[in-house]
């Protein structure tokens, strides 16, 4: 009797089309953050694979689940592939991702950030820097190496298991922490943005910090360009040997678009210190700092422009409550065709932005809150009983079917779960305080920053995908090709088995820290707020402290053309576009309450002094060794510690005896601490008590 065997042709065609769609999506992401025409191929190609391979894992895991959960003689409910095809796909995806994460991307990132002129010197600098990094990684993993070789013996299998287990453990530690923060941050951000007035207040509260960082970035770039200008004036000595290199740095520093005068003129001239002997290492370090300073300035200019645009749009929606109309004005000539095309009338635009968007964000906030709760619950309950995992119930729809326990609907839901877990981890990367000021900037991301973020994406994808598999019943994921390829090596030793089983429950730590704002509480206690910026604190104390009132005045003067951002040629009271933003429409005028309209504007951060010059000239964190960086961090932490209130109030109830000038009636009218007046302190119009 001949039995009909199902053919995977339809599934193969679907998989190829899905891979093509993923590749196009990765290209659009690259186009959004990098200038494709000017970015060299040695950056674009590795970044493409570092983003494309993790994205394909989101597709490969559900296919593997449906392929292994079916009867070989029966058909399948979903998309399936033969085991041999899946094994080859997993080998290619995993080992390419492993090589990109630990070798290729770090070397190319340092090569792009080397600062040297010749490719050979840049490669030597990159290899030397990565040799130090790999030595630190080897030193950190030497305990694991000893444990593996003692437990399982020295063999190629144990060495392979060692590499896969250590890479998985490090990636899982990072993924759990970032995902725990993102699972709370994503719904909370949606709930906060649903309130129009609250959103505007947060934008205004963030404006002084962004404005000050932009000032510091431009001042730092001006210092470095002044240093290059002073260096270019050297005609003799050691500078003569590097004349061509110095001229290249000078040409790059004096391009017309290189230094737009967007800020007020500096009160002091840049301090320039050029060594007597010019060396190749000094010029490379100077070129590296120039490149970072240019990208830092571009980052904060772009961030300031987006903040102004968001403030103008949010204010327009808030002001439309009275007129019930939102006029968008004339589109900018540089806008895309989608920005120039509109389908709404002023009234329907008001209904859409004022009501629909707000309620839709609340709906998404509730939906993602439930999804976050399901993920946290599944992480905790899987170590007790996987049958109570909510994610397993949503994925496995046919537990007793011969055609497979997981159908096409279960595959789609599984892809959505993995995608949300990866999104929660990756969105937290934008809030992490990273070295060297790395950031993603629209169309102008630094090559080293793009490499670093692509490396994090590749590093987090495999641990999150395997962590998702463990949400399901062991009867389901034990038969998958992914588990046979990776899982058996992760659980090769009892220690690896217990780590994979219990460590994900520590997701409660970052979840509680973000949910209850422990970052802000730690910062208030010791003056150091951890590694993630938490915007849960509201500062309404007044000027000079980054309050929302100060930010409101900054944004108002900027949108009305009277700001410190120095567009002196503008003649009108309002301007039509936010600067340097191609997606502009006419910016509305910010409305200010009458009692606040005539507030003195001279107290804002537009004229605040920048960071101390000596602090600006400190060594970059990326160029310090371990002991210098640790010493600076400890010193900065101690300097920022403020004494608690109970210590500040010491001496409040202590009265001075009359023989040292005590006066009960005068004591109540004096300000300051009585404890300090014992030693001649206090504000007494400059008089000193002897």
């Amino acid at each position: 009797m001949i039995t009909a065997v199902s053919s995977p042709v339809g599934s193969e065609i679907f998989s190829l089309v899905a891979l093509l769609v993923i590749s196009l999506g990765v290209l659009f992401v690259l186009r959004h953050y990098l200038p494709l025409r000017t970015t060299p191929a040695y950056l674009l190609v590795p970044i493409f694979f570092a983003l494309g391979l993790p994205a394909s894992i989101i597709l490969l895991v559900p296919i593997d689940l449906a392929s292994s959960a079916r009867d070989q003689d029966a058909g399948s409910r979903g998309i399936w592939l033969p085991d041999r095809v899946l094994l080859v796909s997993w080998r290619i995806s995993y080992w390419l991702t492993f090589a990109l994460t630990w070798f290729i991307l770090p070397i190319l990132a340092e090569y792009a950030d080397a600062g040297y002129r010749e490719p050979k010197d840049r490669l030597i600098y990159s290899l030397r820097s990565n040799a130090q990094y790999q030595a630190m990684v080897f030193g950190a993993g030497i305990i694991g190496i000893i444990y593996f070789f003692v437990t399982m013996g020295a063999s190629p299998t144990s060495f392979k298991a060692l590499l896969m287990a250590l890479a998985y453990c490090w990636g899982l530690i990072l993924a759990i922490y970032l995902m725990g923060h993102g699972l709370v941050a994503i719904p909370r951000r949606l709930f906060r943005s649903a309130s129009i007035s609250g959103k505007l207040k947060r934008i205004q509260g963030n404006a002084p910090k962004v404005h000050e960082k932009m000032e510091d970035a431009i001042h730092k770039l001006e210092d470095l360009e002044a240093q290059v200008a002073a260096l270019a004036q050297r005609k003799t000595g050691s500078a003569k040997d590097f004349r061509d290199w110095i001229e290249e740095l000078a040409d790059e520093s004096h391009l017309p678009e290189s230094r737009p005068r967007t800020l007020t003129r500096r009160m002091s001239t840049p301090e320039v210190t050029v060594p007597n002997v010019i060396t190749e290492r000094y010029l490379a370090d100077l070129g590296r700092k120039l490149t970072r300073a240019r990208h830092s300035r571009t980052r904060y200019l772009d961030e300031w422009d987006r903040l102004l645009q968001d403030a103008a749009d949010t204010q327009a929606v808030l002001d439309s409550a009275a007129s019930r109309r939102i006029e968008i004005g004339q589109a900018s000539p540089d806008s895309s065709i989608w920005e120039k095309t509109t389908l709404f009338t002023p009234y329907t635009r008001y209904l859409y932005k004022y009501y629909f968007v707000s309620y839709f964000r609340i709906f998404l906030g509730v939906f993602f809150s439930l999804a976050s709760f399901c993920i946290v619950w599944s992480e905790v309950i899987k170590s007790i009983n996987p049958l109570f995992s909510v994610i397993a119930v949503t994925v496995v729809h046919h537990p007793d079917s011969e055609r497979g326990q997981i159908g096409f609907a279960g595959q789609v839901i599984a892809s959505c779960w993995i995608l949300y877990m990866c999104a929660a981890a990756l969105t937290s990367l934008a809030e992490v305080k990273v070295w060297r000021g790395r950031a993603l900037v629209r169309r102008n991301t630094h090559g080293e920053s793009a490499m670093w973020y692509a490396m994090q994406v590749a590093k987090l994808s495999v641990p999150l995908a395997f962590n998702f598999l463990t949400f399901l019943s062991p009867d389901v994921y034990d038969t998958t090709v992914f588990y046979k390829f990776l899982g058996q090596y992760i659980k090769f030793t009892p220690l690896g088995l217990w780590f994979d089983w219990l460590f994900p429950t520590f997701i409660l730590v970052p979840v509680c820290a973000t949910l209850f704002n422990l970052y802000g509480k730690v910062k208030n206690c010791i003056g150091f707020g951890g590694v993630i910026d938490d915007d849960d604190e509201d500062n309404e104390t007044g000027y000079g402290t980054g309050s929302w009132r100060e930010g409101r005045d900054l944004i108002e003067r900027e949108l009305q053309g009277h700001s410190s951002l120095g567009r002196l040629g503008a003649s009108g009271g309002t301007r039509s576009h936010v600067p340097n933003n191609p997606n502009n429409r006419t910016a509305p005028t910010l409305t200010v309450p009458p009692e606040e309209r005539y507030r003195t504007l001279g107290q804002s951060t537009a004229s605040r002094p920048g960071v101390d010059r000596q602090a600006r000239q400190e060594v970059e964190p990326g160029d310090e060794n371990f002991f210098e960086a640790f010493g600076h961090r400890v010193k900065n932490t101690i300097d920022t510690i403020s004494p608690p209130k109970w210590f500040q109030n010491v001496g409040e109830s202590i009265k001075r005896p009359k023989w040292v000038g005590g006066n009960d009636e005068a004591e109540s009218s004096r300000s300051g601490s009585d404890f300090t007046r014992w030693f001649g302190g206090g504000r007494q119009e400059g008089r000193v008590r002897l």
Side-chain angles (χ1 to χ4, degrees), residues 78-125:
I79 307 300
W80 67 279
L81 293 173
D83 291 345
R84 183 63 184 175
V85 176
L86 287 172
L87 180 59
V88 172
S89 301
W90 277 118
R91 285 176 176 174
I92 294 175
S93 300
Y94 180 82
W95 289 116
L96 269 181
T97 303
F98 183 88
L100 286 168
T101 301
W102 296 102
F103 301 103
I104 299 177
L105 289 179
I107 292 176
L108 292 178
E110 293 295 334
Y111 180 87
D113 194 50
Y116 285 89
R117 189 185 181 194
E118 298 297 331
K120 179 181 177 181
D121 297 331
R122 301 172 72 178
L123 181 60
I124 293 175
Y125 172 83

Side-chain angles (χ1 to χ4, degrees), residues 276-437:
N276 295 327
V277 179
I278 306 301
T279 62
E280 185 179 12
R281 182 176 180 181
Y282 167 75
L283 290 177
D285 183 67
L286 180 60
R288 184 162 54 250
K289 289 181 179 179
L290 272 171
T291 303
R292 294 177 184 174
R294 291 193 190 102
H295 284 279
S296 178
R297 183 211 57 191
T298 304
R299 168 193 176 183
Y300 289 114
L301 282 175
D302 178 75
E303 188 174 350
W304 177 250
D305 293 338
R306 287 188 285 107
L307 185 143
L308 292 176
Q309 187 66 49
D310 292 342
D313 294 341
T314 307
Q315 184 69 62
V317 176
L318 190 63
D319 292 342
S320 65
S323 62
R324 298 195 176 187
R325 295 170 60 88
I326 299 179
E327 300 286 350
I328 60 174
Q330 185 179 2
S332 171
D334 298 328
S335 301
S336 63
I337 188 173
W338 303 107
E339 293 290 333
K340 295 179 180 179
T341 305
T342 180
L343 302 177
F344 295 108
T345 63
Y347 179 69
T348 56
R349 188 178 300 110
Y350 157 76
L351 295 178
Y352 172 76
K353 292 188 175 182
Y354 197 87
Y355 290 105
F356 177 79
V357 173
S358 298
Y359 287 112
F360 185 67
R361 285 173 177 168
I362 294 176
F363 168 76
L364 289 180
V366 173
F367 179 78
F368 285 124
S369 297
L370 294 176
S372 299
F373 174 79
C374 292
I375 292 176
V376 175
W377 170 261
S378 299
E379 291 280 14
V380 175
I381 203 64
K382 74 176 184 180
S383 59
I384 301 174
N385 191 346
L387 297 178
F388 294 101
S389 173
V390 179
I391 294 180
V393 176
T394 60
V395 174
V396 182
H397 297 164
H398 313 280
D400 301 324
S401 175
E402 293 183 355
R403 295 183 59 195
Q405 302 178 12
I406 301 174
F408 182 74
Q411 288 180 301
V412 173
I413 296 174
S415 298
C416 293
W417 281 119
I418 300 175
L419 182 61
Y420 181 60
M421 292 170 64
C422 293
L426 296 178
T427 52
S428 299
L429 283 176
E431 302 177 7
V432 174
K433 300 176 182 178
V434 298
W435 288 355
R436 300 182 182 178

